[in-house]
Amino acid sequence: MASAAPSRLVVLAISMVLFSSVAMATDFVVGGEKGWTLDFNYTEWAQDKVFHVGDNLLFNYDNTKHNVVKVNGTQFQECNFTANNEVLSSGKDTITLKAEGKKWYACGKANHCADHQMKFAITVEAAAPAPAPSSANSVIASLSGVFLFAIAAIFA
């Protein structure tokens, strides 16, 4: 029974680390309350936001009228896509930002990209650093340590 205690503590510690990193991801509803739609300034909407690896873009739209196409910079500028582009069309699409760098998205229906500026470009930065501990976080961290010690004592 004593040999199971260290493995349980390891699982608990790993779980706490994983859950804390997941909790730091941010969900961005593209276009806010307007969603993914015609004649909306996505550049202006995104200008005060910082996108990090691990964050999610949530595209909400009427899938009978729009879609989301992952494009490259040239395709973005020209609003010209190929059959090889990934197309999302559920009306409630989530894109997890998995890598740093420039990302481009556009609507591939009709001339929505060219005529209605239904396109969106962002720069994704490295994963957000963990926040500096505040006094409240320090208390929680101390209590977590006490909690782990108590669990270790119980299983020892």
Side-chain angles (χ1 to χ4, degrees), residues 74-155:
T74 302
Q75 294 168 329
F76 178 84
Q77 291 298 326
E78 298 173 357
C79 288
N80 187 13
F81 323 122
T82 69
N84 294 331
N85 289 93
E86 182 178 351
V87 179
L88 306 172
S89 59
S90 75
K92 294 240 179 242
D93 301 316
T94 300
I95 297 173
T96 301
L97 302 173
K98 296 179 182 177
E100 296 176 46
K102 197 80 169 168
K103 308 294 179 204
W104 301 271
Y105 308 95
C107 180
K109 298 262 182 143
N111 287 328
H112 294 180
C113 178
D115 294 344
H116 298 281
Q117 296 304 301
M118 199 169 171
K119 56 186 186 175
F120 177 58
I122 60 171
T123 300
V124 179
E125 299 182 5
S134 67
S135 59
N137 288 342
S138 297
V139 169
I140 291 170
S142 297
L143 291 175
S144 296
V146 170
F147 178 69
L148 288 174
F149 180 77
I151 289 176
I154 290 169
F155 292 109

Side-chain angles (χ1 to χ4, degrees), residues 2-141:
S3 64
S7 63
R8 288 181 185 166
L9 286 176
V10 169
V11 169
L12 179 63
I14 291 171
S15 298
M16 290 174 71
V17 169
L18 291 174
F19 288 133
S20 68
S21 65
V22 169
M24 289 191 294
T26 301
D27 290 341
F28 292 97
V29 178
V30 177
E33 291 179 6
K34 295 283 187 182
W36 188 234
T37 190
L38 299 173
D39 303 315
F40 183 84
N41 189 334
Y42 292 98
T43 302
E44 184 177 295
W45 174 82
Q47 72 186 4
D48 64 343
K49 294 165 183 57
V50 179
F51 302 93
H52 291 102
V53 171
D55 288 347
N56 297 302
L57 300 178
L58 310 175
F59 288 85
N60 296 322
Y61 57 93
D62 179 345
N63 68 348
T64 65
K65 297 178 182 175
H66 307 297
N67 62 19
V68 178
V69 182
K70 293 182 179 182
V71 298
N72 64 36
T74 302
Q75 294 168 329
F76 178 84
Q77 291 298 326
E78 298 173 357
C79 288
N80 187 13
F81 323 122
T82 69
N84 294 331
N85 289 93
E86 182 178 351
V87 179
L88 306 172
S89 59
S90 75
K92 294 240 179 242
D93 301 316
T94 300
I95 297 173
T96 301
L97 302 173
K98 296 179 182 177
E100 296 176 46
K102 197 80 169 168
K103 308 294 179 204
W104 301 271
Y105 308 95
C107 180
K109 298 262 182 143
N111 287 328
H112 294 180
C113 178
D115 294 344
H116 298 281
Q117 296 304 301
M118 199 169 171
K119 56 186 186 175
F120 177 58
I122 60 171
T123 300
V124 179
E125 299 182 5
S134 67
S135 59
N137 288 342
S138 297
V139 169
I140 291 170

